[in-house]
Amino acid sequence: MLLAVLSWGWIGAAAFLCGFAVLECIFTSKAKKERGLDLYVMTGLCALTVYAQFFSLFYKVGGASTGLLLIICLLIVCFLRKRLWEYFIRLMHGSKWYWPVFFLFLAFVILILTVQCTFHSDTDLYHAQSIRWIESLGVVKGLGNLHNRFAYNSAFFSLQALFSLEFLVNQSLHTMNGFIVFVMLCYAIGSLGIFKGERVKSSDLLKLCLVYYLCFFENRWQISSPGSDISALSMVLYISAKWCELSEKGSKDITEYGVLCLLAVWASTLKLSASIIVLLAVYPAVCFLRERRWKQIALFLGGGVIILLPFLARNVIISGYLVYPFSAIDVFDVDWKMSAAMLRDDSMEITAWARGMTARENYDAPFSFWFPEWFRSLSVGYKALFICNMACICYVLIYGIICFRRKKDTEKMQLLAVSTAGLIFWFVSAPLIRYGAVYLWVLPALLSGEFCARQKGTRLPQACAAVIALAGVALLLKTTAFYGGIPWIRPVEYSYCDVNQEQLDGLIIYVPQSGDAAGYHFFPSTPYLWMLERIELRTGRLEDGFRLKEECRDLGQE
């Protein structure tokens, strides 16, 4: 745990300083009002993700990237020391004594979960090995030919590699998700209006959804794993809640909405299932155009491009395609390109498994065939929630027409429309609960919050919300008892898997003895022997990557 505490300290300091610097550049001197610590940290994590990805394009993410980042942080402290000091003075002055105590307790609980073994099956399949590649070589051409899951290329893996500190502690730390869960819960619980004597609002219910997602959902068992689901989907709830907060406060500062849109672009690079939230950018874009604020347009457009650029560049280098697994976007003619048939097969498999169609012959089953099976597989609660969302969509359509005619509640309507689009996109593309449960919660939370805010003379909603928030923390604490022990110095390492050694042009490649998971320690690895038989080294060197053999370039997966 000691190493995890030090890791969190480094992550928190770097994220806050980088986020503070970015927001100082975005907001003008006339708008230098103080913002929540959570926004600085999340903006900083976005900036650090972009930094790690850019660095991986040229060199491995390890000691050199950490040293350079340390210099950048020291420069930020040097140049912004006055503003930083003023911020911390105000932060300490306005805080109640019990919140720091509660946050320390919460940190201790989440740290216990963070340092345990990694339960997520996909961690041994490809999460850990993806991070190992970034730590060892950065980005490698045609890496998706060795393992098609490497081509998923979540930006989260680059961020985790930046703070794994493998070069320093002789162990790859997996503490990033734990840190993100801590920051999210501190924001969700600490900013609830019910603890300030206010009525329950839509933003409060979205924060409770965030608590539910991180504490009651299966994610509490996966905090120790470096998967991308927690970070990406919690960002959907976080951005929605912050957007609601601005709308409820009547904020007319479009720049604040613009910052949330940049975070939405970042969330889409963490996991493509979060990409619909980017549509929120329509509102600030239209406002900036109407007011002819060309500098702000250039600033946010440039910021979005900077966030996307390294992610897309890594996609092309790893798979030969701009976005994996969509073979329709095929604009690069490179020798390491993955087979288009492989992409189509992977895309079909993701959709079919999400619909519960595990048999290969049912991958293209019609709606009338897969929907009844999918709906039957849902729990009673999610069946009711799905039906509730259908009613919510009807309400949103009617409410949208009213808002359009009266030209009011634009910010709120934008969030309702984007949330509806996110729900539809999730349902059509890959409706597995793990992939997008948050989309089932947002619309009911938004509309229920409107109803609660209009109620007078009752404390029941406030009491229920407080119980849910505190019960979530209690459940996390109960979960720690499952592990039975706490590794006080070092977190538990990634699991060891049984593998065989195979040869590829004189290079040793590890293949699992059974199943498809090779874990972190045996590097490099591929999940199946048949994949190894279809590829070759591009130049005879590992760092120059892989390509399909000439006779296999038009073949799909058997």
Side-chain angles (χ1 to χ4, degrees):
M1 181 179 287
L2 178 61
L3 286 180
V5 171
L6 295 175
S7 170
W8 276 22
W10 171 225
I11 295 171
F16 171 75
L17 290 172
C18 291
F20 197 91
V22 170
L23 293 183
E24 285 291 297
C25 293
I26 289 177
F27 291 97
T28 63
S29 57
K30 295 181 180 179
K32 297 288 187 188
K33 67 179 183 180
E34 308 303 342
R35 290 167 177 85
L37 186 60
D38 59 279
L39 186 61
Y40 287 115
V41 172
M42 299 314 297
T43 303
L45 289 178
C46 172
L48 291 170
T49 304
V50 174
Y51 167 78
Q53 289 181 103
F54 268 119
F55 205 96
S56 72
L57 295 176
F58 306 101
Y59 195 60
K60 63 182 181 180
V61 178
S65 60
T66 302
L68 179 58
L69 178 58
L70 179 60
I71 294 173
I72 293 172
C73 290
L74 292 175
L75 290 174
I76 292 173
V77 171
C78 180
F79 285 104
L80 297 177
R81 60 187 181 277
K82 184 178 179 180
R83 285 281 298 144
L84 287 166
W85 178 253
E86 291 173 352
Y87 178 77
F88 279 113
I89 291 297
R90 291 195 178 100
L91 187 67
M92 297 302 295
H93 179 72
S95 63
K96 303 291 180 61
W97 67 269
Y98 47 80
W99 282 119
V101 174
F102 172 76
F103 292 149
L104 283 174
F105 170 74
L106 182 62
F108 179 71
V109 172
I110 298 175
L111 276 167
I112 294 176
L113 300 176
T114 301
V115 299
Q116 304 295 339
C117 56
T118 56
F119 272 120
H120 202 316
S121 59
D122 282 351
T123 293
D124 288 336
L125 176 59
Y126 75 99
H127 295 164
Q129 190 81 183
S130 296
I131 293 168
R132 179 82 185 264
W133 275 100
I134 298 169
E135 293 171 346
S136 304
L137 294 170
V139 65
V140 173
K141 295 175 180 176
L143 189 58
N145 292 310
L146 180 68
H147 192 330
N148 63 303
R149 300 293 183 96
F150 292 156
Y152 291 168
N153 182 36
S154 169
F156 180 82
F157 299 144
S158 295
L159 179 63
Q160 178 61 82
L162 180 62
F163 292 99
S164 67
L165 302 180
E166 188 275 335
F167 72 96
L168 186 63
V169 300
N170 198 31
Q171 174 187 343
S172 183
L173 303 179
H174 43 86
T175 57
M176 182 56 68
N177 265 334
F179 178 80
I180 290 175
V181 169
F182 172 65
V183 174
M184 290 291 189
L185 287 180
C186 286
Y187 161 72
I189 298 175
S191 63
L192 277 174
I194 55 177
F195 294 125
K196 304 173 185 177
E198 301 173 358
R199 292 195 185 98
V200 171
K201 306 180 292 295
S202 295
S203 60
D204 289 324
L205 293 186
L206 287 169
K207 292 168 189 175
L208 291 177
C209 288
L210 191 52
V211 173
Y212 181 86
Y213 180 67
L214 298 175
C215 299
F216 293 89
F217 205 60
E218 63 185 26
N219 289 316
R220 68 182 188 276
W221 299 105
Q222 298 172 3
I223 290 175
S224 60
S225 297
S228 57
D229 289 343
I230 290 178
S231 58
L233 296 181
S234 63
M235 280 302 298
V236 172
L237 291 173
Y238 174 80
I239 293 167
S240 299
K242 297 290 282 189
W243 190 281
C244 253
E245 280 185 344
L246 293 176
S247 176
E248 290 162 356
K249 292 176 182 177
S251 174
K252 298 301 179 182
D253 186 354
I254 308 303
T255 306
E256 293 184 317
Y257 292 99
V259 171
L260 296 180
C261 293
L262 290 181
L263 293 181
V265 176
W266 172 50
S268 70
T269 67
L270 300 176
K271 197 173 183 70
L272 289 178
S273 59
S275 58
I276 294 299
I277 197 74
V278 176
L279 293 177
L280 285 174
V282 171
Y283 171 68
V286 170
C287 292
F288 283 141
L289 285 171
R290 283 177 178 173
E291 298 173 13
R292 299 189 178 186
R293 295 167 62 177
W294 308 118
K295 289 184 179 179
Q296 282 79 7
I297 292 174
L299 177 66
F300 285 106
L301 186 60
V305 170
I306 290 172
I307 293 171
L308 280 177
L309 188 59
F311 170 72
L312 297 177
R314 282 180 53 86
N315 278 344
V316 174
I317 294 172
I318 291 174
S319 67
Y321 295 87
L322 197 63
V323 181
Y324 184 93
F326 302 106
S327 59
I329 309 177
D330 185 4
V331 294
F332 298 95
D333 185 18
V334 290
D335 69 296
W336 63 82
K337 182 182 293 186
M338 296 174 65
S339 168
M342 177 74 81
L343 271 71
R344 288 192 295 270
D345 189 85
D346 204 2
S347 179
M348 290 174 62
E349 183 180 12
I350 293 170
T351 301
W353 275 82
R355 293 172 175 173
M357 301 288 102
T358 56
R360 193 177 184 81
E361 59 270 19
N362 293 330
Y363 278 11
D364 57 351
F367 177 82
S368 60
F369 180 82
W370 68 261
F371 177 74
E373 294 296 321
W374 174 83
F375 188 77
R376 193 177 298 115
S377 68
L378 298 179
S379 65
V380 175
Y382 276 110
K383 286 178 181 176
L385 196 57
F386 181 78
I387 295 171
C388 176
N389 271 276
M390 298 303 102
C392 288
I393 290 176
C394 295
Y395 175 84
V396 168
L397 291 175
I398 297 172
Y399 183 68
I401 295 173
I402 295 173
C403 289
F404 179 77
R405 288 182 175 180
R406 297 181 180 179
K407 295 182 180 180
K408 69 172 188 176
D409 295 336
T410 310
E411 307 93 338
K412 191 180 299 179
M413 190 57 230
Q414 174 80 6
L415 182 57
L416 284 169
V418 172
S419 301
T420 303
L423 175 66
I424 295 172
F425 175 76
W426 165 77
F427 177 72
V428 171
S429 59
L432 187 67
I433 293 298
R434 181 171 68 86
Y435 291 168
V438 297
Y439 293 115
L440 286 170
W441 305 337
V442 175
L443 280 179
L446 287 170
L447 300 180
S448 299
E450 288 295 309
F451 173 79
C452 291
R454 292 188 174 94
Q455 301 306 302
K456 297 180 179 180
T458 175
R459 291 288 180 178
L460 182 60
Q462 288 91 328
C464 291
V467 169
I468 292 172
L470 298 178
V473 178
L475 185 59
L476 284 184
L477 181 60
K478 181 181 178 181
T479 306
T480 63
F482 173 84
Y483 296 98
I486 303 174
W488 291 104
I489 304 299
R490 290 177 173 270
V492 177
E493 290 196 66
Y494 289 111
S495 304
Y496 280 86
C497 302
D498 296 325
V499 297
N500 294 323
Q501 292 186 11
E502 302 291 342
Q503 293 282 333
L504 177 66
D505 299 341
L507 179 72
I508 294 178
I509 304 289
Y510 296 96
V511 181
Q513 289 183 4
S514 61
D516 52 10
Y520 174 88
H521 300 283
F522 295 102
F523 174 84
S525 68
T526 187
Y528 307 111
L529 183 59
W530 65 261
M531 295 188 75
L532 192 63
E533 292 171 347
R534 293 183 175 185
I535 64 174
E536 61 187 5
L537 293 173
R538 294 180 62 246
T539 65
R541 301 194 313 159
L542 181 64
E543 54 267 37
D544 291 330
F546 307 86
R547 63 186 176 195
L548 290 169
K549 293 179 180 178
E550 185 68 33
E551 63 273 19
C552 299
R553 293 183 183 177
D554 295 324
L555 295 178
Q557 191 175 13
E558 294 179 351

